[in-house]
Amino acid sequence: MLSGKNVLLGITGGIAAYKTTFLVRLLIKAGAEVKVILTQSASSFVSPLTLSTLSKNPVLMDFVKEEDGSLSWNNHVDLGLWADIFLIAPATANTLSKMATGNCDNLLMATYLSAKCPVFFAPAMDLDMYKHPSTKQSFRQLLSFGNTMIPAETGELASGLSGEGRMAEPENILLFLKRSLAAGLPLNGKKVLITAGPTHEAIDPVRYLGNKSTGTMGFELAKKAADLGAQVFLIAGPTALTVAHHSISLIRVTSAEEMYQAVHQRFATVNIAIGAAAVADYRPKEIAVQKIKKKSDAPLTLALERTKDILADMGKQKVHQYVVGFALESQDGLKNAKIKLQKKNLDAIVLNSLEDSGAGFGSNTNKVTFIDKNLVVKAFNLKAKSEVASDIWAEIIQRIDA
């Protein structure tokens, strides 16, 4: 959820400021770009040098900065526009009051009043301060502005008291941000199954029947689904590709039978299934135990049998699932794709044709046509496969939300 996001972290003068070193590390690890605004009082609790080192950006404290004898200023308007998320943690009672009343007496407050992005604040103060009517009024006022409060936790406080007012732990702040961002995504709460790549059907211990699929299209579809808020099962045949995303479970298989079993185990639990894998239609009827030796110039004959049709099986079993197939055709593409769509009881099919330059296997681009069960056809231009994935998901989301 936070990968590629610009997070502006405002740190105010409370003892909980020491936790922000851990918070910055977690944000960076989650893939965010982090800039820090520190109030003067906060610098007594946490070192600007430490935060600068961890965030890999200069820590901002004043409107005016002096570098090599020259004066310049920290543009609060630019900072507010830069941020995708403005997080104020810890947010002291003093700062909360300023935010609620618009008291602009430092760089953090000026940036807050200029921010166009979602603002989150994590209160931190002693028990009696947290319960004071003026603090409660600040909370109500800030929530009415559309700001989001990360509730304080209960525990031991700096005063020695124990109760509510302790700043949420960095791990919980990160989780709160991720859940808040996911809540507005179109696939939030959805489970998605995607097959990708080729399958390898063994002939003997060293040889197999396979195809030229790299799995790129399926992996891009999985990454886009995760970015849209889905929990993804990515079932991939033999491919050099990998993926690191907390919302993607990568299940590696080799043969069509292994892929069938992996799909069968998970299909009933998902909302959307996309069969993007190039699954072998046939496999050797017998697999040689030892490597097959070449016998002079005599031809080798392999007896083949059909593999299980994974896509057709999903089409038969679907109850609530939206099932999408792929059709790679070399001729009569539209006609054959429509036949496959209806024969396998799919909700939609994505056609890509080997007749189109830049489409198909072994390329970072693709040219597809989306066809739904009502035979509504939408053709797209040649694009990078990451953009194609976005187009396909836009078509699916439009139909499942209809």
Side-chain angles (χ1 to χ4, degrees), residues 53 125 168 205 320 393:
T53 302
M125 64 200 72
H320 59 274
W393 275 116

Side-chain angles (χ1 to χ4, degrees), residues 63-375:
F63 286 102
V64 179
K65 57 185 176 182
E66 185 174 352
E67 294 179 348
D68 301 325
S70 62
L71 294 176
S72 60
W73 71 302
N74 292 314
N75 191 325
H76 58 280
V77 175
D78 286 348
L79 285 168
L81 292 172
W82 173 84
D84 296 311
I85 298 168
F86 193 0
L87 168 62
I88 301 174
T92 61
N94 182 45
T95 294
L96 291 170
S97 178
K98 291 179 181 180
M99 292 167 65
T101 59
N103 183 1
C104 183
D105 64 351
N106 59 33
L107 179 61
L108 189 151
M109 281 304 308
T111 307
Y112 165 70
L113 294 173
S114 302
K116 306 293 186 186
C117 63
V119 176
F120 296 81
F121 62 95
M125 64 200 72
D126 206 64
L127 175 63
D128 294 329
M129 296 173 68
Y130 191 78
K131 291 186 174 181
H132 195 278
S134 63
T135 305
K136 297 295 186 184
Q137 177 60 31
S138 294
F139 292 160
R140 288 191 292 269
Q141 191 67 46
L142 292 174
L143 293 173
S144 75
F145 293 162
N147 300 161
T148 302
M149 178 175 169
I150 304 175
E153 298 176 358
T154 299
E156 185 178 349
L157 303 170
S159 66
L161 298 175
S162 183
E164 196 173 15
R166 182 186 179 99
M167 187 182 85
E169 292 301 314
E171 295 85 356
N172 293 336
I173 291 176
L174 191 75
L175 183 60
F176 189 99
L177 291 176
K178 287 180 177 179
R179 286 176 174 171
S180 295
L181 292 173
L185 295 175
L187 293 179
N188 180 46
K190 303 288 188 186
K191 288 186 178 181
V192 172
L193 184 151
I194 298 173
T195 64
T199 63
H200 289 175
E201 310 304 321
I203 297 172
D204 62 22
V206 298
R207 302 182 180 92
Y208 60 84
L209 297 176
N211 56 62
K212 297 179 180 179
S213 173
T214 62
T216 303
M217 192 69 252
F219 273 68
E220 291 296 341
L221 284 164
K223 287 187 282 187
K224 186 62 181 177
D227 288 343
L228 291 169
Q231 187 69 37
V232 182
F233 299 111
L234 175 57
I235 302 172
T239 172
L241 300 176
T242 188
V243 64
H245 195 295
H246 72 280
S247 293
I248 299 177
S249 298
L250 176 58
I251 301 100
R252 292 196 182 275
V253 297
T254 301
S255 67
E257 178 61 26
E258 290 175 359
M259 184 171 284
Y260 176 88
Q261 294 299 332
V263 169
H264 183 72
Q265 291 168 17
R266 296 164 178 85
F267 181 70
T269 68
V270 304
N271 306 100
I272 303 166
I274 303 179
V279 184
D281 293 322
Y282 294 90
R283 66 185 178 190
K285 194 170 184 178
E286 300 285 343
I287 302 174
V289 177
Q290 303 295 334
K291 179 183 175 183
I292 299 172
K293 296 293 185 180
K294 180 169 61 176
K295 297 179 180 178
S296 62
D297 294 326
L300 175 66
T301 301
L302 291 175
L304 303 179
E305 63 181 4
R306 285 295 305 267
T307 59
K308 293 174 182 174
D309 193 324
I310 298 172
L311 193 58
D313 194 60
M314 288 194 286
K316 288 177 185 176
Q317 293 184 27
K318 70 185 177 81
V319 179
H320 59 274
Q321 296 90 344
Y322 190 91
V323 180
V324 181
F326 267 69
L328 177 62
E329 302 292 341
S330 59
Q331 59 181 355
D332 297 327
L334 197 58
K335 175 184 174 183
N336 289 328
K338 288 179 179 179
I339 292 171
K340 185 175 182 180
L341 168 71
Q342 296 175 322
K343 182 179 179 181
K344 301 194 178 188
N345 192 33
L346 307 178
D347 294 289
I349 196 162
V350 179
L351 166 66
N352 50 154
S353 173
L354 291 176
E355 296 177 284
D356 295 320
S357 177
F361 297 151
S363 170
N364 289 323
T365 58
N366 208 352
K367 184 179 180 182
V368 304
T369 299
F370 190 95
I371 310 162
D372 70 13
K373 62 184 178 183
N374 298 317
L375 301 183

